[in-house]
Amino acid sequence: QAQLVESGGGLVQPGGSLRLSCTMRGMIVTLDDVGWYRQVPGSERELVARIRYGQTIDYADSVKGRFTLSTDDDENTMYLQMNSLKSEDTAVYYCNLNWRRVRYWGQGTQVTVSS
């Protein structure tokens, strides 16, 4: 079945960096309506970064200037580069794709920022 597969999460110290990847398997897509979200226990899932149809990338204020969303249609993959990580960035991160009236979600990847 077509699915978004995430990778790149892990444990990192404050101030460190991680790069999350999200690849669509089983279907060729155009990554023009995509986003990254995160969720911690007891909280609602929140938007981290989103881009739609070539418009300016929308970043949460909490990550602006530190995180960068990018896409690569040739690789069928979207990325989230996370720099200057803080403990409050700890969460499960989910990639999202809207494609032909269906919203796809990655399985989630844990990012833990701790010394």
Side-chain angles (χ1 to χ4, degrees):
Q1 298 182 37
Q3 60 180 353
L4 291 173
V5 180
E6 300 183 38
S7 63
L11 175 64
V12 65
Q13 294 185 351
S17 297
L18 285 173
R19 189 193 194 202
L20 306 183
S21 298
C22 175
T23 299
M24 173 59 79
R25 306 293 190 188
M27 180 172 62
I28 303 299
V29 299
T30 301
L31 300 168
D32 56 10
D33 188 353
V34 301
W36 286 93
Y37 298 77
R38 67 187 182 188
Q39 188 168 23
V40 299
S43 299
E44 295 292 318
R45 173 172 48 83
E46 67 172 351
L47 173 70
V48 176
R50 181 177 63 190
I51 187 168
R52 301 187 72 229
Y53 306 110
Q55 296 183 293
T56 302
I57 299 172
D58 184 19
Y59 292 100
D61 288 341
S62 59
V63 308
K64 194 170 298 182
R66 300 187 297 118
F67 290 11
T68 303
L69 182 156
S70 63
T71 62
D72 188 338
D73 283 329
D74 291 338
E75 297 294 331
N76 228 30
T77 299
M78 57 189 294
Y79 305 93
L80 184 68
Q81 178 67 46
M82 304 185 294
N83 298 326
S84 302
L85 283 161
K86 307 173 181 179
S87 60
E88 51 263 45
D89 295 317
T90 296
V92 178
Y93 284 71
Y94 299 90
C95 57
N96 160 258
L97 164 69
N98 191 16
W99 175 250
R100 295 183 175 180
R101 300 183 181 273
V102 178
R103 186 167 294 275
Y104 298 87
W105 291 96
Q107 83 279 8
T109 185
Q110 177 71 48
V111 172
T112 302
V113 185
S114 177
S115 60

